[in-house]
Amino acid sequence: MTPSGTRRPRVLLADDYANMLTAMERLLSSSCDIVGTVTTGAQLLDAARRLNPDIVVVDLHLPDMSGLDACRQLKAAAPDGSVILLTAANDPKVRQAAFESGASAFVPKYRAGDELLPAIERAFAAAARGDAG
């Protein structure tokens, strides 16, 4: 809970680079509850099922599956869950594919410092209103 009594978003992070996971944890920990970090798609799907996070932040490229495939599977398992796709590429076609796969947001890694927390906050607020996507 925050000082105002509102619940903080519970966030699961997935990236195959440990340094990126550490950086995201540092960036988000003051505003979010990081419920887990994983480095593969299989770990992601298992952790999401066990931990039931509000938001999943997933890299586009995991060693065993694409972030797009992970997003589709996460949305099939929990349609009201929010998935934010994070990628090094800022390609309009990839952005479109991310939203088509059910992502709530698409954040280029080079913009994560400025855009990741606001994307999480928007997705969490949308879920609270009942219009998560």
Side-chain angles (χ1 to χ4, degrees):
M1 296 287 236
T2 63
S4 66
T6 59
R7 191 169 69 83
R8 291 163 35 122
R10 298 176 71 251
V11 179
L12 174 61
L13 303 172
D15 197 295
D16 57 331
Y17 290 106
N19 289 343
M20 188 63 186
L21 289 170
T22 299
M24 285 191 292
E25 281 187 281
R26 285 186 184 141
L27 175 69
L28 301 173
S29 64
S30 65
S31 301
C32 304
D33 294 331
I34 307 302
V35 297
T37 60
V38 298
T39 58
T40 70
Q43 292 171 348
L44 170 63
L45 298 175
D46 178 62
R49 181 186 47 74
R50 286 184 298 101
L51 301 171
N52 194 31
D54 299 308
I55 312 284
V56 176
V57 177
V58 60
D59 183 25
L60 181 63
H61 298 290
L62 297 173
D64 57 344
M65 77 175 58
S66 79
L68 296 173
D69 288 338
C71 183
R72 284 184 204 96
Q73 291 183 46
L74 290 165
K75 293 299 287 183
D80 293 334
S82 296
V83 179
I84 296 173
L85 214 57
L86 190 67
T87 180
N90 191 12
D91 180 331
K93 290 180 183 177
V94 174
R95 178 182 293 268
Q96 179 179 348
F99 289 115
E100 289 172 356
S101 71
S104 300
F106 176 92
V107 177
K109 282 186 178 180
Y110 71 92
R111 298 286 307 151
D114 295 325
E115 295 181 11
L116 184 56
L117 183 56
I120 289 170
E121 290 170 341
R122 283 189 303 274
F124 190 60
R129 290 189 309 269
D131 61 313

